[in-house]
Amino acid sequence: HTPMYFFLLNLALLDLGCISTTLPKAMANALWHTRAISYAGCAAQVFFFVFFLSTEYSLLTIMSYDRYVAICKPLHYRTLLGSRACATMAAAAWGSGLLYSLLHTATAFSVPLCQGNAVDQFFCEIPQILKLSCSKSDYFREIGIIYFSLCLSFGCFVFIVVSYVQIFRAVLRMPSEQGRHKAFSTCLPHLAVLSLFLSTAMLAYLKPPSISSPSLDLLVSFLYSVVPPAVNPLIYGLRNQELKAAVSNTYNFNIHKMHASLTGVSR
């Protein structure tokens, strides 16, 4: 019931939604040897993917504030991050993601397409859809929205960096080595998830056009759309002692069972 676990619940829901938006359809297409998707299905895929991805970035920004308050202002933690404050921040993250996704989807699918209807990707993605556009004005309008969103994303990034600068300064002033280790260990999962999210997204959207190719675009899109949602539960889950104990017990049980079966066969 702590704020961090409340935010982790939201993060888990976003990861589940993000990976469910792209992977099941791609797997079904591979199974049936087709690449077809309806126009409405493509629009829905773009909407939900942008929604979950943008909301997750907002939530990761909020979680950096949670770590800042927990380490730099521990006596005010319950006051600043009460249940109402956490619910308000989570609702703001989901609401901003919804508005942002509506804006992007409506703009992208109002662009007339004259370059065919084949998207060189395993899911519908806005940059690939814009490549099919034949209207310069609509194209540049969507590009303008993308640049505006990049500015907002950079603002969130600056907030995260400033938060962690304050966190590291506070941790390094702690007299106890055990206290420093404990404080750093509470930040490591969030830093790992954030680094994975930002590095794969930057690789996807900020790579030079000169090195772009269909196969590379496909690989990079897979990295930022599938890998972070799949790995995030492992990063946070392995910090949980109960989960680690359950995994260890399951592993030991399977080893003993395998050993017993092999011993029985050898006899």
Side-chain angles (χ1 to χ4, degrees):
H1 298 288
T2 62
M4 174 54 78
Y5 283 103
F6 171 75
F7 292 134
L8 285 178
L9 171 62
N10 284 267
L11 182 65
L13 293 174
L14 290 169
D15 286 334
L16 181 62
C18 189
I19 204 167
S20 299
T21 302
T22 58
L23 208 55
K25 179 61 178 175
M27 293 172 66
N29 284 354
L31 184 64
W32 296 106
H33 304 288
T34 180
R35 296 184 62 190
I37 185 171
S38 66
Y39 187 83
C42 184
Q45 200 173 59
V46 167
F47 170 77
F48 284 110
F49 183 71
V50 175
F51 169 57
F52 289 127
L53 211 64
S54 56
T55 304
E56 181 163 334
Y57 187 50
S58 300
L59 189 68
L60 289 172
T61 305
I62 293 170
M63 291 172 73
S64 70
Y65 174 70
D66 169 80
R67 293 298 84 205
Y68 163 75
V69 176
I71 293 174
C72 299
K73 301 178 182 293
L75 298 179
H76 302 283
Y77 187 71
R78 290 294 179 184
T79 305
L80 295 175
L81 286 166
S83 57
R84 178 175 294 182
C86 291
T88 302
M89 287 189 285
W94 286 86
S96 62
L98 177 64
L99 292 175
Y100 179 74
S101 181
L102 282 172
L103 177 64
H104 259 305
T105 307
T107 305
F109 283 87
S110 65
V111 175
L113 308 179
C114 60
Q115 306 290 333
N117 61 353
V119 177
D120 290 331
Q121 199 55 269
F122 72 96
F123 70 99
C124 289
E125 192 181 26
I126 288 179
Q128 298 295 329
I129 294 172
L130 291 180
K131 289 181 180 180
L132 307 177
S133 170
C134 55
S135 172
K136 291 294 183 183
S137 59
D138 291 332
Y139 174 84
F140 285 118
R141 182 176 60 184
E142 175 63 18
I143 292 297
I145 294 175
I146 291 175
Y147 277 116
F148 175 71
S149 64
L150 285 175
C151 293
L152 293 179
S153 300
F154 182 72
C156 292
F157 179 74
V158 170
F159 179 85
I160 292 169
V161 170
V162 171
S163 298
Y164 269 100
V165 167
Q166 297 298 321
I167 288 171
F168 290 147
R169 287 177 60 187
V171 170
L172 293 175
R173 286 199 299 264
M174 291 179 179
S176 168
E177 183 178 350
Q178 184 179 0
R180 289 196 297 269
H181 180 268
K182 184 178 180 181
F184 274 127
S185 67
T186 61
C187 297
L188 284 178
H190 179 256
L191 277 176
V193 168
L194 187 63
S195 300
L196 183 64
F197 180 89
L198 290 177
S199 60
T200 53
M202 289 173 65
L203 183 64
Y205 288 104
L206 299 181
K207 68 180 186 300
S210 58
I211 65 170
S212 181
S213 67
S215 57
L216 180 62
D217 290 344
L218 185 66
L219 175 63
V220 169
S221 294
F222 178 82
L223 286 176
Y224 90 91
S225 64
V226 175
V227 173
V231 174
N232 288 351
L234 293 176
I235 293 174
Y236 272 106
L238 291 178
R239 300 293 305 173
N240 188 296
Q241 296 299 325
E242 293 179 0
L243 183 60
K244 287 168 70 174
V247 172
S248 178
N249 290 337
T250 303
Y251 174 76
N252 291 333
F253 174 77
N254 288 333
I255 290 295
H256 287 308
K257 187 176 179 181
M258 186 182 299
H259 178 73
S261 62
L262 290 175
T263 303
V265 169
S266 64
R267 290 176 183 175

